[in-house]
Amino acid sequence: MRKPTRPAIYGVMAEFDNPTDVVAATRRAHEEGYRNMDAYSPYPIEALSEAVGHHKERLPLIVLIGGIVGLIGGYALQYYVSVINYPLNVGGKPLHSWPAFIPITFETTVLGAAMAAIFGMLALNGLPEPYHPVFNVPNFALASRDRFFLVIEARDPKFDREATTGFLRSLGAQEVADVEH
Amino acid sequence: MASRVDEPHDDLIHVTPNPVIEPGHTAASVTDKISALVLKRKTPLAWYIGFFISFSLANVLMFTIAYLVTTGIGIWGNNWPVGWAFDIINFVWWIGIGHAGTLISAILLLLRQEWRTSINRFAEAMTLFAVACAGLFPLLHTGRPWLAYWMLPYPNTMNIYPQFRSPLMWDVFAVSTYASVSALFWYVGLIPDFATLRDRAKNRAFKVVYGMLALGWRGSARHWHRYETAYLLLAGLATPLVLSVHTIVSFDFAVSQLPGWHATIFPPYFVAGAIYAGFAMVLLLTIPLRKFYGLEDFITLRHLRNSAKIMLATGLIVGYGYMMEAFMAWYSASEYEGFMLKNRIWTGPYWWAYALLLITNIIIPQILWSKRARHNTAILFIVSLIISVGMWLERFVIIVTSLHRDFLPSSWAMYRPTIFDWSMFIGTIGLFFTLLLLFIRFLPAISIFEMRTILPGAAPKEEG
């Protein structure tokens, strides 16, 4: 960790009790020029992820690659076994009897894509991540119930402990708290 | 799924006479009510009684397996020519039941059927446990289950490989892919709810265990976006997967030369039958669940009614399948096909199984045309039970009546299940319910975060 430059706190957290306010507040913070921020909600809100500046999604590409790897891998396995390594005459069929290889190829394609979707999602999200500073705020336990939070991180160039706290208060937050490391 | 939160759900909840969730609930009340089932509420006495019975039956399964493995599959009634019997009947029955879970969680998600939300978690758990029970049968039918890994293609000192042109190998890949993807899909759906339980739990041990399972989930907007993308893609992948699995299961029969199995109608007719049996099982499980746990607000009559309609529709497809089987046997003008049909329906020793099949699977379920019947939980429960029996009989008829009359009259024989066939079948029912009851006790049986999304006011209001 870059010890000397590390800010005193992780950031400032504002609490909201409805989705409309948190989306509006996040948009205002983005307009204000804040970039290193994240919002937290008890269920997915499409507008919120856009408001924090999350636009490009790499996951579909990862899933496509996973599917292609599964497809080629599954077919290559059957081809290698049936034609090269262990050629076996079954009912006079050609060794490379491709129609019979399709069902397994289909299954390995789905398997590859599904694994890529799940593990890709976890990896991009940086999970598992047992410790995160936001959990230090006692009220944050409600993020998994019915509260919405906006955190502006201290590493944002525009961050100023006093000014940012004041700014968040002006957005109609229920409560604004410091997030310790 | 982008529009899942953009669409106003207020209409859905207030205007329709049978809502998917009763009015008056908020994100807080939904969270508290569902998490209390696991964390706070006293376990109902019915749970203990149910668990005692199912765990006893699961032990019957354990003893049967112990005896089977130490003695051999000769303890079953399988003989020559009926080499496939209860083991395959039960395998197909269980795996078919599992398919409704995937249908509810994946296909209905893609079709934007929001009523699925309160039953999908439960149905996915049902899938997983049904596949576990299904997998036991072919595994033990190998006779030497400790050598089951021979079915996997890996370089070995015996210098042999599996035969990829065989539908049985396709089945190995289809079922293991299905089990893996279903388990992961289920777990991914649980992650945000594990976080909810972690934050609600008072008990230290629960907090730690749920905390580990939640993987540090904190509900970040970026995380949710990727999560929703992954979930939608998985639903898109699971949909063709579930159709392929039962298609491949039907290939086990349809690719063979045996009259009664060798039919092109098998794949669609097996898939429809799987969904039919699966929805029957969903109703068999949810009707007592909503009663004993007081979940009538979340699993409403609308869910039961829609499930009943799906059963009616898939039941008719199954009926069409029976008709086409009979028609093709006659239209093919094949002596063997014609004999199979006559033997199956009236001249053979198993005519009663076919007659029972028609009564349980085709005739009785027609009561679901009546709106009164669809709204009566007692009738729905009984009809579902009858359909479950009917779908089991269907597999019995397909497998046993096709096999017991071979091409050569000299090899004709009768099949009679032994007590160990029955104890194994009943034992898997015990295992299924044991797992399901543990699931209800320790995990949220209804997806909490998805319930929050369908509440009124869940979507942010857009100004201007």
Side-chain angles (χ1 to χ4, degrees):
Chain A
M1 294 300 272
R2 311 183 308 276
K3 272 269 151 48
T5 58
R6 190 168 121 138
I9 54 167
Y10 174 78
V12 180
M13 176 187 276
E15 179 182 334
F16 300 88
D17 68 352
N18 68 76
T20 312
D21 285 355
V22 73
V23 171
T26 312
R27 282 189 186 140
R28 283 276 295 116
H30 200 266
E31 282 162 18
E32 205 68 16
Y34 291 108
R35 289 296 175 268
N36 290 334
M37 57 179 177
D38 206 347
Y40 301 87
S41 60
Y43 53 84
I45 300 172
E46 185 75 13
L48 196 56
S49 65
E50 279 164 19
V52 296
H54 183 79
H55 297 292
K56 245 185 99 181
E57 190 58 85
R58 282 180 296 166
L59 189 63
L61 181 67
I62 295 175
V63 175
L64 177 69
I65 294 170
I68 292 173
V69 168
L71 177 110
I72 296 173
Y75 197 89
L77 168 76
Q78 296 174 83
Y79 183 86
Y80 170 75
V81 167
S82 312
V83 180
I84 299 167
N85 189 284
Y86 195 64
L88 191 67
N89 185 333
V90 177
K93 293 183 188 76
L95 291 178
H96 183 206
S97 47
W98 67 267
F101 299 163
I102 298 300
I104 291 181
T105 307
F106 176 81
E107 300 301 331
T108 53
T109 308
V110 171
L111 187 66
M115 293 282 173
I118 290 160
F119 294 107
M121 182 272 286
L122 291 177
L124 290 176
N125 281 350
L127 299 175
E129 186 180 8
Y131 176 76
H132 193 276
V134 289
F135 290 117
N136 290 332
V137 178
N139 259 11
F140 190 72
L142 295 176
S144 63
R145 186 165 179 262
D146 61 344
R147 292 302 162 88
F148 305 82
F149 297 86
L150 172 63
V151 176
I152 297 182
E153 290 162 26
R155 65 196 167 95
D156 191 284
K158 261 204 100 215
F159 183 84
D160 176 275
R161 195 161 173 172
E162 304 293 309
T164 306
T165 307
F167 169 69
L168 285 175
R169 274 192 208 289
S170 74
L171 296 175
Q174 308 271 304
E175 211 168 309
V176 179
D178 287 348
V179 183
E180 306 289 331
H181 274 293
Chain B
M1 195 145 11
S3 60
R4 198 155 98 190
V5 288
D6 298 339
E7 284 164 5
H9 302 288
D10 307 42
D11 306 349
L12 190 75
I13 287 158
H14 295 300
V15 178
T16 48
N18 288 97
V20 286
I21 176 167
E22 294 293 339
H25 278 290
T26 62
S29 73
V30 166
T31 307
D32 294 345
K33 188 156 184 195
I34 303 173
S35 58
L37 297 183
V38 177
L39 299 172
K40 291 213 190 76
R41 225 183 108 132
K42 227 175 134 262
T43 312
L45 183 66
W47 188 92
Y48 286 103
I49 297 171
F51 189 79
F52 176 77
I53 298 170
S54 25
F55 192 62
S56 308
L57 291 178
N59 280 289
V60 170
L61 175 70
M62 241 180 56
F63 282 110
T64 310
I65 292 177
Y67 182 50
L68 180 82
V69 166
T70 51
T71 312
I73 58 166
I75 65 168
W76 288 343
N78 299 27
N79 56 27
W80 201 251
V82 190
W84 278 7
F86 264 41
D87 41 359
I88 307 299
I89 298 168
N90 298 336
F91 164 71
V92 180
W93 189 71
W94 275 120
I95 206 135
I97 284 171
H99 285 358
T102 318
L103 183 98
I104 289 170
S105 63
I107 302 182
L108 295 186
L109 178 80
L110 296 181
L111 296 176
R112 300 251 167 86
Q113 296 294 308
E114 273 164 347
W115 58 274
R116 75 179 256 292
T117 301
S118 50
I119 51 173
N120 74 334
R121 166 75 44 75
F122 190 74
E124 283 168 34
M126 182 189 86
T127 295
L128 213 55
F129 305 147
V131 172
C133 291
L136 277 176
F137 286 98
L139 184 73
L140 293 166
H141 192 204
T142 60
R144 294 174 178 78
W146 54 93
L147 297 179
Y149 66 91
W150 284 8
M151 287 185 283
L152 301 175
Y154 70 104
N156 55 62
T157 52
M158 300 174 289
N159 213 8
I160 53 167
Y161 268 108
Q163 215 279 78
F164 287 116
R165 296 175 194 90
S166 161
L168 298 181
M169 266 320 286
W170 305 347
D171 227 8
V172 170
F173 277 81
V175 173
S176 52
T177 299
Y178 185 52
S180 318
V181 173
S182 302
L184 286 170
F185 194 41
W186 187 62
Y187 178 66
V188 165
L190 275 163
I191 291 174
D193 286 356
F194 280 136
T196 296
L197 293 178
R198 171 197 67 200
D199 296 340
R200 300 275 92 68
K202 295 275 179 288
N203 179 323
R204 174 88 193 142
F206 273 35
K207 225 177 166 57
V208 169
V209 172
Y210 290 131
M212 284 202 261
L213 291 169
L215 306 177
W217 182 262
R218 52 186 190 274
S220 148
R222 289 186 177 84
H223 289 189
W224 273 125
H225 190 264
R226 287 193 195 100
Y227 181 90
E228 289 280 277
T229 310
Y231 203 71
L232 189 62
L233 287 171
L234 280 172
L237 290 165
T239 299
L241 177 65
V242 66
L243 300 180
S244 81
V245 171
H246 228 62
T247 299
I248 290 177
V249 167
S250 82
F251 283 165
D252 291 347
F253 304 98
V255 172
S256 77
Q257 308 289 326
L258 193 74
W261 288 4
H262 189 65
T264 48
I265 188 86
F266 264 36
Y269 144 56
F270 264 53
V271 170
I275 292 164
Y276 188 38
F279 268 91
M281 187 56 91
V282 167
L283 284 183
L284 273 183
L285 299 174
T286 47
I287 290 171
L289 176 79
R290 71 197 279 277
K291 188 170 164 55
F292 286 121
Y293 279 86
L295 294 174
E296 283 95 343
D297 281 6
F298 299 154
I299 303 172
T300 62
L301 277 177
R302 178 153 171 222
H303 296 100
L304 305 184
R305 198 179 61 192
N306 285 359
S307 305
K309 283 181 183 165
I310 293 178
M311 287 199 311
L312 188 60
T314 48
L316 290 173
I317 300 176
V318 169
Y320 174 81
Y322 298 160
M323 258 165 52
M324 276 305 119
E325 259 190 320
F327 172 76
M328 289 314 291
W330 167 75
Y331 190 69
S332 68
S334 154
E335 193 183 331
Y336 298 102
E337 289 281 339
F339 172 78
M340 179 278 298
L341 182 72
K342 256 188 279 174
N343 179 62
R344 181 180 280 182
I345 297 176
W346 71 88
T347 60
Y350 292 110
W351 65 271
W352 53 269
Y354 197 79
L356 269 178
L357 162 65
L358 290 185
I359 294 168
T360 53
N361 237 6
I362 306 295
I363 297 170
I364 292 177
Q366 299 312 316
I367 193 176
L368 296 176
W369 286 101
S370 143
K371 198 169 181 170
R372 288 243 315 273
R374 289 200 303 267
H375 283 248
N376 185 326
T377 51
I379 292 181
L380 281 179
F381 188 83
I382 294 167
V383 170
S384 304
L385 197 63
I386 291 172
I387 292 172
S388 299
V389 173
M391 283 307 295
W392 189 88
L393 281 168
E394 178 195 303
R395 278 70 177 244
F396 181 88
V397 165
I398 290 174
I399 291 169
V400 174
T401 66
S402 304
L403 283 171
H404 85 297
R405 290 293 178 258
D406 206 342
F407 291 102
L408 286 175
S410 60
S411 56
W412 289 1
M414 284 296 285
Y415 167 74
R416 279 178 203 87
T418 65
I419 182 160
F420 297 108
D421 282 305
W422 286 112
S423 68
M424 185 135 173
F425 176 46
I426 291 165
T428 52
I429 295 175
L431 176 67
F432 178 76
F433 281 98
T434 304
L435 292 171
L436 211 59
L437 286 165
L438 287 173
F439 158 72
I440 295 170
R441 177 64 192 81
F442 292 108
L443 299 175
I446 295 178
S447 174
I448 308 174
F449 87 89
E450 286 186 289
M451 289 301 276
R452 293 184 196 120
T453 65
I454 61 165
L455 287 165
K461 290 179 192 64
E462 294 293 331
E463 64 269 3

